[in-house]
């Protein structure tokens, strides 16, 4: 194996072992947890060893960057799944629906409507997560926690989106556990099953709180 391929395999194995340990430590429910490898800022050449090592689920935070990076990789690995994990503008909805397989950042009616229209046009009914601004932070994307349940309902009934779960990024510099627990409670109240929460620094805590998807960037690809 080339060095880069070997180190991709080692890093994936290490993260997967930690995921499995966290999943077992906190006991039932023991649903599988999906690793979303966050490849933002890394080139296709840097990503390819992870595909070669068997990773198939990736996250990108910018439509433009994904559009440049992923079509070539997808030709080689048609079974990969690409998640949009960054904020979306409605004028990018068409490109987002073309490039991504899962949208994790639905957070307002305007985006929900634009995505629904483009999905209908493209006949691609992508699974979506509603992003919740779980810390109520001024500068952060996401629907407010107190509006989340009603917004999920509107996404389903008004926009006919396939909402599968909730996603959050908790405030920096605070213990994330209570925020993850809050998101899990909101998901139960909203009647959605999946929870995208936890990044390099806190994914084990997220798994303890019921994450079904963790989004790990720097622990796999290195510092950005
Ligand atoms: C960059 C990013 C991540 C990954 O963060 P790391 O700390 O590098 O693991 C996860 N989620 C979102 C929304 C991101 O933008």
């Amino acid at each position: 194996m080339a060095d880069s391929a070997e180190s991709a395999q080692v890093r994936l194995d290490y993260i997967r072992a930690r995921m499995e340990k966290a999943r077992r430590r906190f006991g039932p429910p023991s649903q599988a947890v999906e690793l979303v490898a966050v490849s933002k800022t890394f080139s296709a050449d840097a990503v390819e060893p992870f595909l070669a090592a068997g990773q198939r689920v990736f996250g990108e935070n910018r439509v433009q960057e994904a559009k440049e990076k992923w079509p070539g990789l997808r030709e080689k690995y048609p079974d990969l799944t690409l998640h949009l994990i960054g904020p979306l503008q409605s004028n990018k909805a068409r490109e987002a629906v073309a490039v991504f397989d899962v949208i994790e950042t639905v957070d307002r009616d305007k985006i929900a409507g634009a995505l629904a229209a483009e999905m209908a046009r493209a006949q691609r009914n992508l699974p979506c997560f509603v992003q919740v601004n779980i810390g109520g932070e001024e500068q952060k994307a996401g629907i407010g926690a107190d509006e989340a349940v009603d917004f999920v309902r509107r996404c389903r009934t008004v926009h006919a989106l396939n909402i599968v779960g909730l996603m959050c990024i908790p405030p920096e510099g605070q213990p994330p556990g209570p925020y993850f627990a809050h998101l899990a409670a909101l998901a139960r109240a909203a009647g959605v099953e999946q929870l995208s929460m936890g990044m390099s620094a806190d994914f084990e805590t997220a798994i303890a709180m019921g994450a079904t998807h963790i989004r790990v960037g720097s622990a796999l690809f290195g510092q950005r």
Side-chain angles (χ1 to χ4, degrees), residues 159-199:
H159 305 294
L161 286 180
N162 177 19
I163 303 294
V164 297
L166 302 183
M167 176 273 210
C168 78
I169 308 168
E172 268 178 52
Q174 293 179 44
Y179 295 103
F180 293 152
H182 189 188
L183 194 74
L186 289 174
R188 282 193 294 277
V192 294
E193 306 223 314
Q194 300 185 21
L195 286 168
S196 173
M197 56 189 198
M199 320 202 300

Short mmCIF file of all heavy atoms in Angstrom, two decimals, residues 159-199:
data_model
loop_
_atom_site.label_atom_id
_atom_site.label_comp_id
_atom_site.label_asym_id
_atom_site.label_seq_id
_atom_site.Cartn_x
_atom_site.Cartn_y
_atom_site.Cartn_z
N HIS A 159 -44.07 21.25 2.55
CA HIS A 159 -43.05 21.14 1.50
C HIS A 159 -42.87 19.71 0.99
O HIS A 159 -42.15 19.49 0.02
CB HIS A 159 -41.72 21.68 2.02
CG HIS A 159 -41.80 23.08 2.53
ND1 HIS A 159 -42.07 24.15 1.70
CD2 HIS A 159 -41.68 23.60 3.78
CE1 HIS A 159 -42.09 25.27 2.43
NE2 HIS A 159 -41.87 24.96 3.69
N ALA A 160 -43.46 18.75 1.66
CA ALA A 160 -43.35 17.33 1.27
C ALA A 160 -41.90 16.85 1.18
O ALA A 160 -41.54 16.05 0.33
CB ALA A 160 -44.07 17.08 -0.06
N LEU A 161 -41.07 17.37 2.09
CA LEU A 161 -39.69 16.88 2.14
C LEU A 161 -39.62 15.61 2.98
O LEU A 161 -40.38 15.42 3.92
CB LEU A 161 -38.78 17.94 2.78
CG LEU A 161 -38.42 19.17 1.95
CD1 LEU A 161 -37.52 20.09 2.77
CD2 LEU A 161 -37.74 18.78 0.64
N ASN A 162 -38.65 14.76 2.62
CA ASN A 162 -38.40 13.53 3.37
C ASN A 162 -37.45 13.83 4.53
O ASN A 162 -36.23 13.70 4.39
CB ASN A 162 -37.82 12.48 2.42
CG ASN A 162 -37.46 11.19 3.14
OD1 ASN A 162 -37.95 10.93 4.23
ND2 ASN A 162 -36.60 10.39 2.52
N ILE A 163 -38.02 14.28 5.64
CA ILE A 163 -37.19 14.62 6.81
C ILE A 163 -36.92 13.36 7.61
O ILE A 163 -37.84 12.74 8.15
CB ILE A 163 -37.88 15.67 7.71
CG1 ILE A 163 -38.22 16.93 6.91
CG2 ILE A 163 -36.98 16.01 8.91
CD1 ILE A 163 -37.04 17.72 6.41
N VAL A 164 -35.63 13.00 7.70
CA VAL A 164 -35.27 11.75 8.39
C VAL A 164 -34.69 11.99 9.78
O VAL A 164 -34.60 11.06 10.58
CB VAL A 164 -34.26 10.92 7.56
CG1 VAL A 164 -34.91 10.50 6.24
CG2 VAL A 164 -32.97 11.68 7.32
N GLY A 165 -34.26 13.24 10.06
CA GLY A 165 -33.64 13.45 11.35
C GLY A 165 -33.31 14.90 11.63
O GLY A 165 -33.67 15.80 10.87
N LEU A 166 -32.62 15.12 12.74
CA LEU A 166 -32.16 16.45 13.16
C LEU A 166 -30.63 16.47 13.21
O LEU A 166 -29.99 15.46 13.46
CB LEU A 166 -32.71 16.80 14.55
CG LEU A 166 -34.22 16.78 14.74
CD1 LEU A 166 -34.57 17.23 16.17
CD2 LEU A 166 -34.93 17.67 13.72
N MET A 167 -30.09 17.67 12.99
CA MET A 167 -28.64 17.86 13.01
C MET A 167 -28.34 19.08 13.86
O MET A 167 -29.14 20.03 13.90
CB MET A 167 -28.18 18.07 11.56
CG MET A 167 -26.71 18.39 11.37
SD MET A 167 -26.31 20.14 11.48
CE MET A 167 -24.91 20.22 10.37
N CYS A 168 -27.20 19.07 14.56
CA CYS A 168 -26.79 20.28 15.30
C CYS A 168 -25.28 20.38 15.42
O CYS A 168 -24.55 19.40 15.24
CB CYS A 168 -27.43 20.33 16.69
SG CYS A 168 -26.63 19.26 17.92
N ILE A 169 -24.84 21.59 15.70
CA ILE A 169 -23.45 21.88 16.07
C ILE A 169 -23.54 22.64 17.39
O ILE A 169 -23.96 23.80 17.41
CB ILE A 169 -22.77 22.80 15.02
CG1 ILE A 169 -22.93 22.24 13.61
CG2 ILE A 169 -21.30 23.00 15.38
CD1 ILE A 169 -22.53 23.24 12.51
N PRO A 170 -23.19 22.00 18.50
CA PRO A 170 -23.34 22.69 19.79
C PRO A 170 -22.34 23.84 19.94
O PRO A 170 -21.35 23.90 19.22
CB PRO A 170 -23.08 21.60 20.83
CG PRO A 170 -22.39 20.51 20.11
CD PRO A 170 -22.68 20.65 18.65
N PRO A 171 -22.60 24.76 20.88
CA PRO A 171 -21.69 25.89 21.10
C PRO A 171 -20.29 25.40 21.46
O PRO A 171 -20.14 24.39 22.14
CB PRO A 171 -22.31 26.63 22.28
CG PRO A 171 -23.70 26.15 22.37
CD PRO A 171 -23.74 24.78 21.80
N GLU A 172 -19.30 26.14 21.00
CA GLU A 172 -17.91 25.79 21.35
C GLU A 172 -17.63 26.12 22.80
O GLU A 172 -18.22 27.03 23.37
CB GLU A 172 -16.96 26.60 20.46
CG GLU A 172 -16.57 25.86 19.19
CD GLU A 172 -15.66 26.71 18.32
OE1 GLU A 172 -14.64 27.20 18.85
OE2 GLU A 172 -16.00 26.88 17.13
N GLY A 173 -16.70 25.36 23.36
CA GLY A 173 -16.20 25.69 24.69
C GLY A 173 -17.14 25.35 25.83
O GLY A 173 -16.97 25.83 26.94
N GLN A 174 -18.16 24.55 25.54
CA GLN A 174 -19.06 24.10 26.60
C GLN A 174 -19.21 22.59 26.49
O GLN A 174 -19.09 22.05 25.40
CB GLN A 174 -20.45 24.73 26.45
CG GLN A 174 -20.47 26.22 26.68
CD GLN A 174 -21.87 26.77 26.48
OE1 GLN A 174 -22.84 26.19 26.94
NE2 GLN A 174 -21.98 27.88 25.78
N PRO A 175 -19.49 21.92 27.59
CA PRO A 175 -19.72 20.48 27.47
C PRO A 175 -20.89 20.22 26.53
O PRO A 175 -21.96 20.82 26.69
CB PRO A 175 -20.07 20.06 28.90
CG PRO A 175 -19.57 21.16 29.78
CD PRO A 175 -19.63 22.41 28.95
N PRO A 176 -20.70 19.37 25.51
CA PRO A 176 -21.74 19.21 24.50
C PRO A 176 -22.88 18.28 24.92
O PRO A 176 -23.96 18.32 24.32
CB PRO A 176 -20.97 18.60 23.32
CG PRO A 176 -19.85 17.84 23.96
CD PRO A 176 -19.47 18.61 25.19
N GLY A 177 -22.66 17.48 25.95
CA GLY A 177 -23.64 16.44 26.29
C GLY A 177 -25.07 16.93 26.43
O GLY A 177 -25.99 16.38 25.82
N PRO A 178 -25.30 17.99 27.21
CA PRO A 178 -26.68 18.47 27.38
C PRO A 178 -27.32 18.92 26.06
O PRO A 178 -28.53 18.76 25.86
CB PRO A 178 -26.53 19.64 28.35
CG PRO A 178 -25.26 19.35 29.11
CD PRO A 178 -24.36 18.65 28.13
N TYR A 179 -26.50 19.48 25.15
CA TYR A 179 -27.04 19.90 23.86
C TYR A 179 -27.43 18.69 23.01
O TYR A 179 -28.46 18.70 22.33
CB TYR A 179 -26.02 20.78 23.12
CG TYR A 179 -25.76 22.08 23.84
CD1 TYR A 179 -24.61 22.28 24.59
CD2 TYR A 179 -26.71 23.11 23.82
CE1 TYR A 179 -24.39 23.45 25.27
CE2 TYR A 179 -26.50 24.29 24.50
CZ TYR A 179 -25.33 24.46 25.22
OH TYR A 179 -25.12 25.64 25.91
N PHE A 180 -26.58 17.67 23.05
CA PHE A 180 -26.91 16.45 22.31
C PHE A 180 -28.19 15.81 22.88
O PHE A 180 -29.05 15.33 22.13
CB PHE A 180 -25.75 15.45 22.38
CG PHE A 180 -24.50 15.88 21.67
CD1 PHE A 180 -23.25 15.43 22.09
CD2 PHE A 180 -24.55 16.73 20.56
CE1 PHE A 180 -22.08 15.82 21.43
CE2 PHE A 180 -23.38 17.12 19.90
CZ PHE A 180 -22.15 16.65 20.34
N ALA A 181 -28.29 15.81 24.20
CA ALA A 181 -29.49 15.23 24.82
C ALA A 181 -30.74 16.01 24.43
O ALA A 181 -31.80 15.43 24.17
CB ALA A 181 -29.32 15.21 26.35
N HIS A 182 -30.60 17.33 24.37
CA HIS A 182 -31.72 18.18 23.97
C HIS A 182 -32.15 17.86 22.53
O HIS A 182 -33.34 17.74 22.22
CB HIS A 182 -31.34 19.66 24.12
CG HIS A 182 -32.48 20.61 23.95
ND1 HIS A 182 -32.29 21.97 23.90
CD2 HIS A 182 -33.80 20.42 23.81
CE1 HIS A 182 -33.46 22.57 23.74
NE2 HIS A 182 -34.40 21.64 23.67
N LEU A 183 -31.15 17.72 21.63
CA LEU A 183 -31.48 17.40 20.24
C LEU A 183 -32.21 16.05 20.16
O LEU A 183 -33.18 15.91 19.41
CB LEU A 183 -30.23 17.38 19.36
CG LEU A 183 -30.54 17.39 17.85
CD1 LEU A 183 -31.00 18.78 17.39
CD2 LEU A 183 -29.34 16.94 17.01
N ALA A 184 -31.74 15.09 20.94
CA ALA A 184 -32.38 13.77 20.94
C ALA A 184 -33.83 13.87 21.40
O ALA A 184 -34.73 13.24 20.82
CB ALA A 184 -31.60 12.80 21.83
N ALA A 185 -34.07 14.70 22.41
CA ALA A 185 -35.44 14.88 22.90
C ALA A 185 -36.32 15.54 21.83
O ALA A 185 -37.48 15.16 21.64
CB ALA A 185 -35.43 15.71 24.19
N LEU A 186 -35.76 16.52 21.14
CA LEU A 186 -36.52 17.19 20.07
C LEU A 186 -36.85 16.21 18.95
O LEU A 186 -37.96 16.25 18.38
CB LEU A 186 -35.73 18.37 19.50
CG LEU A 186 -35.58 19.60 20.41
CD1 LEU A 186 -34.65 20.62 19.76
CD2 LEU A 186 -36.94 20.23 20.71
N ALA A 187 -35.91 15.32 18.64
CA ALA A 187 -36.17 14.34 17.58
C ALA A 187 -37.32 13.42 17.97
O ALA A 187 -38.19 13.12 17.14
CB ALA A 187 -34.90 13.54 17.29
N ARG A 188 -37.32 13.01 19.22
CA ARG A 188 -38.44 12.16 19.68
C ARG A 188 -39.75 12.92 19.55
O ARG A 188 -40.75 12.38 19.07
CB ARG A 188 -38.22 11.72 21.13
CG ARG A 188 -37.21 10.58 21.28
CD ARG A 188 -37.25 9.98 22.69
NE ARG A 188 -36.82 10.92 23.73
CZ ARG A 188 -35.53 11.14 24.04
NH1 ARG A 188 -34.57 10.48 23.42
NH2 ARG A 188 -35.22 12.00 24.98
N ALA A 189 -39.74 14.17 19.97
CA ALA A 189 -40.97 14.98 19.93
C ALA A 189 -41.43 15.20 18.49
O ALA A 189 -42.63 15.27 18.22
CB ALA A 189 -40.74 16.32 20.63
N ALA A 190 -40.47 15.31 17.58
CA ALA A 190 -40.81 15.58 16.17
C ALA A 190 -41.12 14.30 15.41
O ALA A 190 -41.57 14.35 14.26
CB ALA A 190 -39.66 16.33 15.49
N GLY A 191 -40.82 13.16 16.02
CA GLY A 191 -41.08 11.89 15.34
C GLY A 191 -40.11 11.59 14.21
O GLY A 191 -40.48 11.05 13.17
N VAL A 192 -38.83 11.95 14.40
CA VAL A 192 -37.79 11.58 13.43
C VAL A 192 -36.75 10.72 14.15
O VAL A 192 -36.54 10.86 15.35
CB VAL A 192 -37.11 12.81 12.78
CG1 VAL A 192 -38.11 13.58 11.92
CG2 VAL A 192 -36.47 13.72 13.82
N GLU A 193 -36.12 9.84 13.40
CA GLU A 193 -35.29 8.80 14.03
C GLU A 193 -33.80 9.11 14.04
O GLU A 193 -33.09 8.58 14.88
CB GLU A 193 -35.50 7.49 13.28
CG GLU A 193 -36.97 7.10 13.20
CD GLU A 193 -37.18 5.64 13.47
OE1 GLU A 193 -36.43 4.84 12.88
OE2 GLU A 193 -38.10 5.31 14.26
N GLN A 194 -33.33 9.92 13.10
CA GLN A 194 -31.89 10.03 12.95
C GLN A 194 -31.36 11.31 13.60
O GLN A 194 -32.03 12.33 13.64
CB GLN A 194 -31.51 9.94 11.47
CG GLN A 194 -31.99 8.60 10.92
CD GLN A 194 -31.57 8.35 9.48
OE1 GLN A 194 -30.62 8.94 8.97
NE2 GLN A 194 -32.28 7.45 8.83
N LEU A 195 -30.14 11.21 14.10
CA LEU A 195 -29.50 12.33 14.80
C LEU A 195 -28.09 12.48 14.28
O LEU A 195 -27.25 11.61 14.51
CB LEU A 195 -29.43 12.03 16.31
CG LEU A 195 -30.73 12.14 17.10
CD1 LEU A 195 -30.54 11.52 18.49
CD2 LEU A 195 -31.17 13.59 17.22
N SER A 196 -27.82 13.59 13.58
CA SER A 196 -26.47 13.89 13.12
C SER A 196 -25.83 14.84 14.10
O SER A 196 -26.15 16.03 14.13
CB SER A 196 -26.52 14.51 11.72
OG SER A 196 -25.22 14.94 11.34
N MET A 197 -24.95 14.31 14.95
CA MET A 197 -24.31 15.15 15.96
C MET A 197 -23.02 14.50 16.41
O MET A 197 -22.91 13.28 16.46
CB MET A 197 -25.26 15.40 17.14
CG MET A 197 -25.81 14.16 17.81
SD MET A 197 -27.11 14.57 18.99
CE MET A 197 -27.16 13.05 19.98
N GLY A 198 -22.04 15.35 16.73
CA GLY A 198 -20.73 14.88 17.14
C GLY A 198 -19.73 15.07 16.02
O GLY A 198 -20.01 14.75 14.87
N MET A 199 -18.56 15.65 16.37
CA MET A 199 -17.48 15.89 15.43
C MET A 199 -16.20 15.28 16.03
O MET A 199 -16.29 14.49 16.97
CB MET A 199 -17.35 17.39 15.17
CG MET A 199 -18.70 18.09 15.07
SD MET A 199 -18.75 19.67 14.19
CE MET A 199 -17.64 20.65 15.12
#
